[in-house]
Amino acid sequence: MYSKNCLYNIWIMSDIRVSFALLCVLFLLFGKNAGMNTYPKAEGVTWTSSDFKTILKWGPEPVNYTYTVEVYRQGKDGEKNEHCIRTEKTDCDLTSMLVDLNATYIADILSEPMPGVPNDAVEPPYTKSPPFCPYHDTEIGAPRFKINVTQDKSKITLDIEDPVTAIHSGRKLLNIRDIFKSDLQYKVFYRKAQSTGKREKTTSSSRLVVAVDRGVSYCFNVQAYLPTRLGTKQDGKLSSTRCSPGGDRSEYSIGVIAGGIVLVIMLIGTIALIAVCCRRRKRGSDAGKEAVPLKKV
């Protein structure tokens, strides 16, 4: 009886060993196959935002796999963008998702199979974006402005147009004044048209009056200024240069003056050359007359 039990135990132990060996083989096989279903992680994740139009960008271009973007707001669950689920693009417009402009957001870019291919991974590979706050991080575009000179030409008024943003309120697109309110200021840089010396004024409104020399043309640049921000994010893009018309007094650049002098010299030289040629012709004509013999009568 004892020998039978011993043989039975030996058989059970052998069966366990065989089962364990089979499990190891299956684990190795499926583990290898699972490794083949992993995809490269996204790299170089950056936010690009101008006047609250915000796009997330990354790389590389996917080959036989896709990306899904999931956005997290502090204290909230993640939310996927419907246009960026299993996409082969490397950018995603997230403007409509960043509804709280003062909140801080982080996005996960998940690497997933092509549409229709089952995803067996418990957690797909993903890369986190840097944190982003629209109110503090979006770049402010260059403003436009109009120049108006007073009738006595002693003052110039700048009327600055607040740049329009990508944020809607009902059917209206908000401008940066609507969003930043009293935080928004403008820096105005100006100089005489023919001078390199630059002056600067800051205004908290969208209008600035500058006292100027009468009849002199002045050139202006404007940029938004947000002192509540940090570092280089305080300044918006610099506008293109616009100059006021000159009045009774005209200031000409050295190049214009030099060009005028050269033109006058060339004109004088041309007149002198014509005079010399005419004189030579006259002398030649007179000499020819003297050389002709008198006819006999």
Side-chain angles (χ1 to χ4, degrees), residues 14 32 56 72 118 131 173 195 206 280:
S14 300
K32 186 177 180 180
L56 189 70
Y72 293 85
L173 279 174
S195 172
S206 298
R280 286 181 178 177

Side-chain angles (χ1 to χ4, degrees), residues 27-253:
F27 176 80
L28 290 173
L29 288 174
F30 283 103
K32 186 177 180 180
N33 289 334
M36 292 174 64
N37 289 330
T38 60
Y39 305 104
K41 289 184 178 182
E43 299 175 354
V45 183
T46 56
W47 296 90
T48 300
S49 183
S50 179
D51 295 329
F52 297 96
K53 174 78 171 177
T54 304
I55 298 174
L56 189 70
K57 297 183 178 181
W58 64 89
E61 294 286 341
V63 179
N64 295 326
Y65 67 98
T66 60
Y67 293 112
T68 295
V69 176
E70 197 166 34
V71 180
Y72 293 85
R73 186 172 62 174
Q74 190 173 10
K76 302 290 183 179
D77 293 333
E79 183 181 355
K80 293 181 180 179
N81 186 293
E82 61 179 341
H83 301 294
C84 302
I85 297 176
R86 293 203 178 186
T87 177
E88 296 181 61
K89 299 188 299 181
T90 55
D91 61 79
C92 184
D93 189 339
L94 299 176
T95 303
S96 61
M97 298 185 71
L98 312 184
V99 291
D100 185 350
L101 301 180
N102 282 285
T104 299
Y105 296 87
I106 292 177
D108 286 349
I109 298 93
L110 289 68
S111 300
E112 297 189 307
M114 298 290 289
V117 177
N119 189 358
D120 298 328
V122 176
E123 184 177 31
Y126 68 94
T127 302
K128 283 190 175 294
S129 74
F132 176 79
C133 174
Y135 193 89
H136 293 286
D137 295 329
T138 193
E139 185 177 37
I140 305 303
R144 297 179 179 179
F145 59 93
K146 296 178 181 178
I147 296 175
N148 296 300
V149 183
T150 57
Q151 190 171 1
D152 65 359
K153 301 177 182 178
S154 64
K155 294 179 181 178
I156 293 176
T157 301
L158 262 65
D159 289 311
I160 304 166
E161 297 179 18
D162 300 317
V164 176
T165 73
I167 304 301
H168 287 81
S169 178
R171 294 184 178 181
K172 176 189 174 185
L173 279 174
L174 302 181
N175 61 40
I176 61 173
R177 177 72 64 186
D178 296 325
I179 294 172
F180 292 110
K181 296 182 172 58
S182 60
D183 284 347
L184 175 64
Q185 299 181 29
Y186 284 105
K187 287 182 180 179
V188 177
F189 305 94
Y190 65 101
R191 59 178 173 80
K192 291 182 179 180
Q194 310 308 327
S195 172
T196 56
K198 187 180 291 185
R199 301 176 189 177
E200 178 183 338
K201 284 184 178 293
T202 302
T203 175
S204 57
S205 72
S206 298
R207 171 171 286 188
L208 178 68
V209 179
V210 180
V212 296
D213 294 340
R214 291 185 180 181
V216 177
S217 175
Y218 281 76
C219 296
F220 297 84
N221 296 94
V222 180
Q223 68 181 164
Y225 173 56
L226 296 163
T228 55
R229 288 184 168 189
L230 299 175
T232 57
K233 294 181 180 180
Q234 289 183 337
D235 296 327
K237 286 186 177 180
L238 192 66
S239 72
S240 57
T241 303
R242 296 196 64 186
C243 300
S244 67
D248 299 331
R249 290 173 54 187
S250 298
E251 294 190 357
Y252 299 100
S253 66

